[in-house]
Amino acid sequence: MSDNLSFNDLNEQAQMKAITGFMPFYGKLLANNELDVMTTFDFDHVMADINRTIKTVSNKTPEEIYSYVINFNSAAIHDLVNELPQTYFDNGNPMTDWSEWYVDEANRLDPDATL
């Protein structure tokens, strides 16, 4: 199994797995109002569209929300995930668990902060 691949290095199936695995993590950050670190990677300013879509369909189950958002905001999610300094195995699984990745990135931004 290859490792340390960027999102763009993944094939289409692996990219979809990466996005599918990312969305519950992102949804939790949004629900807890903890998107500060994520916004530092929102170079194309797509998070507002993603967040609006999530909130629009918030009456659905989490799985339905993520599926809908992935379909409705596919390009935006691809743009955001592509900008994140995360690496992947060739099957689309992240090399670093998303929660651990988030703490590491927060520490890079502010080494004196604690999450």
Side-chain angles (χ1 to χ4, degrees):
M1 188 179 294
S2 298
D3 54 17
N4 288 321
L5 299 173
S6 72
F7 181 76
N8 275 340
D9 291 334
L10 300 173
N11 65 34
E12 189 174 325
Q13 182 179 359
Q15 283 184 354
M16 183 53 71
K17 182 171 184 171
I19 287 171
T20 302
F22 171 75
M23 283 307 302
F25 166 74
Y26 185 90
K28 181 179 174 185
L29 291 177
L30 177 61
N32 292 328
N33 221 11
E34 296 177 348
L35 288 173
D36 295 346
V37 171
M38 198 64 64
T39 61
T40 64
F41 303 107
D42 188 17
F43 304 119
D44 293 329
H45 308 289
V46 297
M47 286 177 56
D49 292 335
I50 296 167
N51 297 349
R52 188 174 18 263
T53 303
I54 290 171
K55 290 181 182 201
T56 300
V57 296
S58 63
N59 60 333
K60 299 183 181 301
T61 68
E63 294 78 19
E64 291 171 328
I65 292 171
Y66 304 142
S67 178
Y68 182 83
V69 172
I70 289 168
N71 289 322
F72 189 79
N73 294 103
S74 179
I77 294 168
H78 273 79
D79 287 348
L80 179 61
V81 173
N82 185 51
E83 295 296 340
L84 302 176
Q86 171 71 282
T87 54
Y88 301 88
F89 293 102
D90 62 1
N91 66 0
N93 286 331
M95 296 283 304
T96 304
D97 174 76
W98 281 111
S99 296
E100 183 181 329
W101 173 89
Y102 194 81
V103 170
D104 290 346
E105 290 303 319
N107 288 337
R108 279 187 188 79
L109 292 171
D110 186 357
D112 297 324
T114 56
L115 283 179

